[in-house]
Structure formats: structure tokens, C-alpha cells
Amino acid sequence: LNNVKWTAYMSGAPRVAEMIMALGFLLETSLGKNQGEVTIDYEISHVRSYMLLQSMHYGEDVSCDISAENETRTLPFERLTLQTLVGNAIKHGYQKGSHLHIDIRIALEGERLCIAVSDNGQGMSPERLEEVRQELRESESQKRSSHIGLRNLCQRLAYRYKGRAVLTVESEQDEGTQVVLTVPLECLQSGRKD
């Protein structure tokens, strides 16, 4: 990929070179260069690369803002968490012909890390919201789900943080969706106990 990146630069295609660098970063993470936990800062960089690649498909129809308190940036965290939440927002929130904006806020609230991913997408009806919540409560089941990414994330977080991570989903039809993940700081500092 590095050769392709430099070829793109030398051919006067810096945007293509940036996308190749983003793809390389995503592949490193996906293929296991950083197994298990990374830092919040790494997760943010990963999502920025992911969004750069998404811009190839959606152009300016999808945007993302990220705000993280400085105290959170060096905390260890489960890899691919933010990408899963952002990918879910795009998959279920985007409607062709409209602009989807995703807002990520990462902060400390008392003794917990709080990650909120909100979008202004199509949202869900109360009935569909309850179905999604039920699917997440039953994340261990093999039942088919349209939220495979969220279900898998819930399973990984439950394992890593011994069931103490809490993921909530709020949504209103035509108003958007918010997914909030909270994890006790003591879980982040001690990691998984085997």
C-alpha cells in the first residue's frame, strides 16, 4: 500500500494517497496489529480514517464531529468500538438524499467513561426501538438480527469488562438515534481479569 500511496502522490492525486493511508491504518487494526485494547486516542484516529473512506461512498452526505476530554484520550479501551457505533449510525441512520451528521462525545462522568454517539438520521419507531433493545439484551442468542455489529460489540464489552459496561439506545422516528456506552474507570484500569 505504501508504494501505491507514493504513486498517487507523484501522480498528483493527494486525496487518493490519503485514502490509501486510511485504508492501511484500518487494515492494521482489523488484521490484529493491536489486539484487544488500544487507547481512546487510537480509536478516534481509527474512526477518522474510517470516515475518510466512507466519504468515497457518501461524499458530503455523511459527516462526523468528535469531541473527547483530554483525560479520556490515554485510557485503554476495546478496539473497534467507535467504528462499530459509527458504522451502525451510517447503516441505520442514512437516507439517500439527506445529510447524516454523527456526533461523538467522549467524557468522564464521575467514575465512568461515557461515550455518546448521536445522529440526526431516520431514527426508529417505538416498536422497532424496543425490538433493538431486546436483541441487545439477548446478545448471547443466535437469533438473526439486523444489528449484528452492536450485538457483537455488546458481547465483546461484556467479556472484557465482566458485564459492567452499559450500552443504551434512544431513538425517535425521523429525529435520530443516540447510543451511549458507559464503563466504570476501574474496569479500564484493570482490564480483563482472567
Coordinates of all heavy atoms in Angstrom, one line a residue, residues 56-62 89-101 120-123 174:
M56 N -15.7 8.4 0.4 CA -15.7 8.0 -1.0 C -17.1 7.6 -1.5 O -17.4 7.8 -2.7 CB -14.7 6.8 -1.2 CG -13.3 7.1 -1.0 SD -12.2 5.6 -1.1 CE -12.7 4.8 -2.6
H57 N -17.8 6.9 -0.6 CA -19.1 6.5 -1.0 C -20.2 7.5 -0.8 O -21.1 7.7 -1.7 CB -19.5 5.2 -0.1 CG -20.9 4.7 -0.4 ND1 -21.2 4.0 -1.6 CD2 -22.0 4.7 0.3 CE1 -22.4 3.6 -1.5 NE2 -23.0 4.1 -0.4
Y58 N -20.2 8.2 0.3 CA -21.3 9.2 0.6 C -21.0 10.6 0.3 O -21.9 11.5 0.4 CB -21.6 9.1 2.1 CG -22.1 7.7 2.5 CD1 -21.3 6.8 3.2 CD2 -23.5 7.4 2.2 CE1 -21.9 5.6 3.5 CE2 -24.0 6.2 2.6 CZ -23.2 5.2 3.2 OH -23.7 4.0 3.6
G59 N -19.7 10.9 0.0 CA -19.4 12.3 -0.3 C -19.6 13.2 0.9 O -19.2 12.8 2.0
E60 N -20.2 14.3 0.7 CA -20.5 15.2 1.9 C -21.9 14.9 2.5 O -22.3 15.6 3.4 CB -20.4 16.6 1.4 CG -19.0 17.0 1.0 CD -18.9 18.4 0.6 OE1 -19.8 19.2 0.8 OE2 -17.8 18.8 0.1
D61 N -22.5 13.8 2.1 CA -23.8 13.4 2.7 C -23.7 12.9 4.1 O -24.7 12.8 4.8 CB -24.5 12.4 1.9 CG -25.1 13.0 0.6 OD1 -25.1 14.2 0.5 OD2 -25.5 12.2 -0.3
V62 N -22.5 12.5 4.5 CA -22.3 12.0 5.9 C -21.1 12.7 6.5 O -20.0 12.8 5.9 CB -22.0 10.5 5.9 CG1 -21.6 10.0 7.3 CG2 -23.2 9.7 5.3
A89 N -24.5 3.7 13.0 CA -25.2 5.0 12.7 C -25.4 5.2 11.2 O -26.5 5.7 10.8 CB -24.5 6.2 13.4
I90 N -24.4 5.0 10.4 CA -24.5 5.2 9.0 C -25.4 4.2 8.4 O -26.3 4.5 7.6 CB -23.1 5.1 8.3 CG1 -22.2 6.2 8.8 CG2 -23.2 5.0 6.8 CD1 -20.7 6.1 8.4
K91 N -25.3 2.9 8.7 CA -26.1 1.8 8.1 C -27.6 2.1 8.4 O -28.4 1.9 7.5 CB -25.7 0.5 8.7 CG -26.5 -0.7 8.1 CD -26.1 -2.0 8.6 CE -27.0 -3.1 8.0 NZ -26.6 -4.4 8.5
H92 N -27.9 2.4 9.6 CA -29.3 2.5 10.0 C -29.9 3.9 10.0 O -31.1 4.1 10.1 CB -29.6 1.9 11.4 CG -29.2 0.4 11.4 ND1 -30.0 -0.5 10.8 CD2 -28.2 -0.3 11.9 CE1 -29.5 -1.7 10.9 NE2 -28.3 -1.6 11.6
G93 N -29.0 4.9 9.9 CA -29.5 6.3 10.0 C -29.5 7.1 8.7 O -30.3 8.0 8.5
Y94 N -28.7 6.6 7.8 CA -28.6 7.4 6.5 C -29.8 7.1 5.6 O -30.2 6.0 5.4 CB -27.3 7.0 5.8 CG -27.2 7.7 4.4 CD1 -26.9 9.0 4.4 CD2 -27.4 7.0 3.2 CE1 -26.7 9.7 3.1 CE2 -27.3 7.6 2.0 CZ -26.9 8.9 2.0 OH -26.9 9.6 0.7
Q95 N -30.3 8.2 5.0 CA -31.3 8.1 4.0 C -30.8 8.8 2.8 O -30.3 10.0 2.9 CB -32.6 8.8 4.4 CG -33.3 8.0 5.5 CD -34.6 8.7 5.9 OE1 -34.6 9.9 6.1 NE2 -35.7 8.0 6.0
K96 N -30.9 8.2 1.6 CA -30.4 8.8 0.4 C -31.1 10.1 0.2 O -32.3 10.3 0.4 CB -30.7 7.9 -0.8 CG -30.0 8.3 -2.1 CD -30.1 7.3 -3.2 CE -29.5 7.8 -4.4 NZ -28.4 7.0 -4.8
G97 N -30.3 11.1 -0.2 CA -30.8 12.4 -0.5 C -30.9 13.3 0.8 O -31.3 14.5 0.7
S98 N -30.4 12.8 1.9 CA -30.4 13.7 3.1 C -28.9 13.7 3.7 O -28.1 12.8 3.3 CB -31.4 13.2 4.1 OG -31.0 11.9 4.6
H99 N -28.7 14.6 4.6 CA -27.4 14.7 5.2 C -27.4 14.0 6.6 O -28.3 14.4 7.4 CB -26.9 16.1 5.3 CG -25.6 16.3 6.0 ND1 -24.4 16.1 5.4 CD2 -25.3 16.5 7.3 CE1 -23.4 16.2 6.2 NE2 -23.9 16.5 7.4
L100 N -26.5 13.1 6.8 CA -26.4 12.4 8.1 C -25.3 13.0 8.9 O -24.1 13.0 8.3 CB -26.2 10.9 8.0 CG -26.1 10.1 9.3 CD1 -27.4 10.1 10.1 CD2 -25.6 8.7 9.0
H101 N -25.5 13.5 10.0 CA -24.4 14.1 10.9 C -24.3 13.2 12.1 O -25.3 12.9 12.8 CB -24.7 15.5 11.3 CG -23.5 16.0 12.1 ND1 -22.3 16.3 11.6 CD2 -23.4 16.3 13.4 CE1 -21.5 16.7 12.5 NE2 -22.2 16.7 13.7
N120 N -28.5 12.4 13.4 CA -29.7 13.1 13.0 C -30.5 12.3 11.9 O -31.2 12.8 11.2 CB -29.5 14.5 12.6 CG -28.7 14.5 11.3 OD1 -28.0 13.5 10.9 ND2 -28.7 15.6 10.6
G121 N -30.3 11.0 11.9 CA -30.8 10.1 10.9 C -32.3 9.8 11.0 O -33.0 10.5 11.7
Q122 N -32.7 8.7 10.4 CA -34.1 8.4 10.3 C -34.7 7.9 11.6 O -35.9 7.9 11.7 CB -34.3 7.4 9.1 CG -33.6 6.1 9.3 CD -33.8 5.2 8.1 OE1 -34.7 5.5 7.3 NE2 -33.0 4.2 7.9
G123 N -33.8 7.5 12.5 CA -34.4 7.1 13.8 C -35.2 5.8 13.7 O -35.2 5.1 12.7
D174 N -37.6 9.8 12.6 CA -37.3 11.0 11.9 C -36.5 12.0 12.7 O -36.3 13.1 12.2 CB -38.5 11.6 11.3 CG -39.3 10.7 10.4 OD1 -38.6 9.9 9.6 OD2 -40.5 10.6 10.4

